[in-house]
Amino acid sequence: MEGIGSSSAKVTFNLLLATSMAVIGSTFQFGYNTGVINAPQTVIEEFYNQTFILRFGHSISQSTIDLLWGFTVAIFAVGGMIGSLCAGAAAERFGLKRSMLYNNSIALLAALLMGFSQLANSFEMLIIGRFAIGLNSGINMGIAPMYLTECAPVRLRGMFGTLGQLGIVTSILLSQILGLHWILGTSQLWGLLFSLTGIFAIYQLLVIPLCPESPRYLLIVQKKEKAAIATLKWLRGDDYDSSKELEDIRLEFQSNSTEQKTKISELFKHSHLRQPLLIAVVMQLSQQLSGINAVFYYSTEIFLNAGIPKEYTGLTTVGMGVVNVVMTMVSVSLIERAGRKILHLIGLGGMCVCAVVLVVLLNLDQSETVAWLTLAPILIFVAFFQTGPGAIPWFITTELFDQRSRPSAVSVAGLANWMGNFVIALAYPSLDGAIGGYTFIIFAVLLAIFWLFTYFKVPETKGRNIMEITALFQPKNTRGVLTKNLDVADDVIFENGTKF
Ligand SMILES: *[C@@H]1O[C@H](CO)[C@@H](O)[C@H](O)[C@H]1NC(C)=O
């Protein structure tokens, strides 16, 4: 890659250390706990059943277990929602480094609660633990991408921004592998599987004392210029001349701070902000209500219901995780080249077709050949997700707003994203219990609606600067006065563009 090795963009050991601290210690919590509940569903449902028998003297009904398991999975997103709302305040008050540091206490508490829930015969501990690790993940996903981009050399920011996304998909895969029934996905060991999330917290606790606060936070918020210079030298090498970068951070801050920030309530008041906000929110919902998390949370069960023999459902879930990682890498280069809108349309359309094919296959007569055939639409569903809907909603959200309104818009979009995540996680087991093989018809219909919305309402943002984009939503008579070719859009794309 251009820039590696030149003095302004050297990738040093220290930079890699700080990066690994943020990727493993923070983004892994989100990915691991997204994937970890998938493989051991059956054995944990059996534990819920046994707990019921122990306490109430009768076994659990199928509809209660569907609801209770859905709740166990979904409460992660409630924690995430609250965490994402706290992330901004935590960053302002403690800085990025100390926010990550303190956040590990929540992760360790969650690991203990989940790890000991079986010993204590308490599924409530698992549920509270899921809530706590969701809280931890929500905070992490607000802070770690910021830390990654602020520590990266300017020229490599895009690449470092995508590391967050790669961290998520890698840790989903890791949780799926560890959850295999001949590794930790057993009725004795699933507690250990859940508590392993504490390892990422311990790694971060060990490495974070060696890592600095982000240079931007030191310079702008704490006004410690010497510390900022020392940090830049630590990250970039002793011979690094930090004056240009310090100047850039200051300039960027000054051009931001002269303008008043837009409050969240103001986003709803003015039509030129309400329209892009609606687009951003619907794009987030299109990501979550596409049914992707029905697959990430429940694929083992889906494969089982399709008729794939039990001993293989873990492996097929791992296969899905591999497709997810590979397609995430492919999409990084696709996004650099192709337009956002077209990629999103291809992704949604492909997912819609896969959902329909899956429903047809699930309702054919149950032979084992047909069961194995269901693997294809599910894997391709995931591949299409990573083509567009996986990343594009975050790109569009950041690109539709200028510096003033972006932080508020990203908060609202994040909330919509977690809410969509919650709804699918909670509803899927009950829906599946009620209509079985037809559940994906609901996703197919939703995907078709989101496709139409994207086609008619979402503007192409690629290749347009931020002034041109925001001008699209201005009343017509003010459009003429906008200055063209203020090319700022490219610099800001990655700031918040790395969420799942
Ligand atoms: C609960 O356990 C009992 C006894 O082991 C079993 O008969 C019943 O089918 C189980 N219920 C569910 C929903 O798994």
Side-chain angles (χ1 to χ4, degrees):
M1 168 146 318
E2 192 206 13
I4 294 181
S6 86
S7 70
S8 62
K10 207 155 55 177
V11 175
T12 61
F13 173 78
N14 286 346
L15 176 62
L16 292 179
L17 190 71
T19 303
S20 80
M21 181 276 289
V23 170
I24 296 175
S26 294
T27 68
F28 268 35
Q29 300 288 11
F30 174 69
Y32 189 84
N33 289 289
T34 294
V36 76
I37 33 72
N38 190 323
Q41 178 177 348
T42 321
V43 289
I44 301 176
E45 284 181 344
E46 187 49 34
F47 157 66
Y48 280 25
N49 191 7
Q50 294 308 320
T51 313
F52 258 63
I53 294 171
L54 206 68
R55 282 195 206 166
F56 311 116
H58 62 81
S59 70
I60 198 167
S61 75
Q62 191 57 47
S63 58
T64 310
I65 191 95
D66 285 345
L67 203 61
L68 205 54
W69 181 247
F71 188 67
T72 310
V73 175
I75 200 165
F76 175 70
V78 178
M81 213 179 301
I82 297 171
S84 73
L85 287 176
C86 301
E92 215 142 280
R93 192 176 157 144
F94 303 118
L96 304 184
K97 179 179 165 176
R98 274 199 293 156
S99 295
M100 287 191 279
L101 178 67
Y102 298 157
N103 199 12
N104 287 313
S105 56
I106 305 178
L108 290 175
L109 175 73
L112 289 174
L113 281 167
M114 297 190 291
F116 287 111
S117 65
Q118 189 178 25
L119 272 180
N121 274 317
S122 161
F123 54 80
E124 294 86 349
M125 280 169 63
L126 179 60
I127 293 174
I128 298 169
R130 287 279 298 166
F131 172 77
I133 201 67
L135 193 63
N136 167 279
S137 298
I139 296 172
N140 273 330
M141 292 322 294
I143 302 235
M146 226 192 300
Y147 185 83
L148 285 170
T149 45
E150 289 180 13
C151 285
V154 179
R155 273 200 276 170
L156 300 180
R157 282 218 171 135
M159 196 178 86
F160 275 73
T162 58
L163 284 178
Q165 184 71 22
L166 271 179
I168 293 166
V169 293
T170 312
S171 50
I172 290 178
L173 178 60
L174 179 67
S175 70
Q176 290 165 339
I177 293 172
L178 291 175
L180 286 169
H181 65 86
W182 68 87
I183 304 182
L184 295 177
T186 68
S187 50
Q188 287 87 40
L189 292 176
W190 64 260
L192 179 61
L193 175 70
F194 278 72
S195 63
L196 281 184
T197 208
I199 300 265
F200 309 132
I202 291 169
Y203 178 78
Q204 191 167 60
L205 284 172
L206 290 176
V207 176
I208 211 168
L210 308 172
C211 299
E213 179 54 89
S214 94
R216 184 180 190 281
Y217 185 82
L218 289 170
L219 186 68
I220 301 297
V221 182
Q222 298 197 304
K223 314 238 178 295
K224 293 180 182 164
E225 182 168 339
K226 281 207 182 102
I229 293 172
T231 293
L232 285 172
K233 283 193 185 298
W234 188 88
L235 286 167
R236 316 254 187 276
D238 281 335
D239 56 346
Y240 180 65
D241 177 9
S242 56
S243 51
K244 166 108 178 37
E245 192 167 349
L246 286 181
E247 194 52 31
D248 287 346
I249 298 175
R250 276 209 194 87
L251 279 177
E252 189 223 37
F253 171 69
Q254 278 160 7
S255 67
N256 285 346
S257 60
T258 49
E259 295 175 290
Q260 194 86 45
K261 290 264 176 281
T262 310
K263 292 200 198 73
I264 288 183
S265 59
E266 289 175 86
L267 289 178
F268 294 92
K269 274 197 204 117
H270 311 291
S271 156
H272 72 281
L273 295 173
R274 207 164 46 222
Q275 289 174 57
L277 187 69
L278 175 72
I279 293 175
V281 166
V282 175
M283 293 291 280
Q284 298 295 337
L285 292 179
S286 77
Q287 178 187 83
Q288 291 298 325
L289 304 185
S290 66
I292 189 64
N293 276 330
V295 176
F296 281 134
Y297 292 147
Y298 301 110
S299 68
T300 305
E301 191 72 6
I302 295 173
F303 289 131
L304 208 57
N305 291 342
I308 289 180
K310 201 173 170 199
E311 57 267 37
Y312 297 116
T313 52
L315 276 182
T316 48
T317 292
V318 169
M320 187 189 87
V322 172
V323 169
N324 193 34
V325 172
V326 171
M327 283 308 294
T328 301
M329 291 177 181
V330 172
S331 83
V332 167
S333 66
L334 276 181
I335 289 171
E336 304 263 308
R337 283 183 217 129
R340 322 266 183 251
K341 181 174 176 170
I342 186 74
L343 283 179
H344 200 63
L345 286 172
I346 292 172
L348 292 176
M351 289 173 86
C352 185
V353 172
C354 288
V356 172
V357 172
L358 179 64
V359 170
V360 171
L361 287 176
L362 287 176
N363 289 288
L364 286 179
D365 61 317
Q366 297 277 311
S367 74
E368 204 178 312
T369 323
V370 175
W372 281 105
L373 280 179
T374 60
L375 201 52
I378 294 177
L379 295 185
I380 301 170
F381 187 81
V382 171
F384 272 117
F385 175 77
Q386 290 300 0
T387 306
I392 300 288
W394 289 109
F395 277 88
I396 298 259
T397 300
T398 55
E399 286 171 334
L400 287 178
F401 296 90
D402 59 18
Q403 300 269 18
R404 258 183 313 166
S405 316
R406 192 172 299 126
S408 293
V410 168
S411 303
V412 176
L415 217 58
N417 189 284
W418 282 109
M419 272 181 202
N421 189 329
F422 172 77
V423 168
I424 299 301
L426 183 67
Y428 184 81
S430 300
L431 279 176
D432 189 51
I435 55 175
Y438 291 99
T439 312
F440 271 76
I441 276 294
I442 299 175
F443 298 132
V445 171
L446 286 168
L447 282 161
I449 294 171
F450 289 126
W451 194 94
L452 290 172
F453 181 91
T454 307
Y455 186 81
F456 288 111
K457 293 283 181 197
V458 177
E460 181 54 83
T461 49
K462 173 136 181 118
R464 282 177 161 155
N465 69 43
I466 202 81
M467 302 291 278
E468 292 169 327
I469 294 168
T470 50
L472 295 172
F473 303 103
Q474 296 289 347
K476 287 221 165 45
N477 54 356
T478 61
R479 274 189 198 174
V481 298
L482 290 155
T483 339
K484 291 225 163 170
N485 300 326
L486 273 178
D487 197 13
V488 290
D490 281 348
D491 299 335
V492 297
I493 286 166
F494 286 103
E495 274 178 19
N496 290 295
T498 53
K499 244 168 119 175
F500 184 64

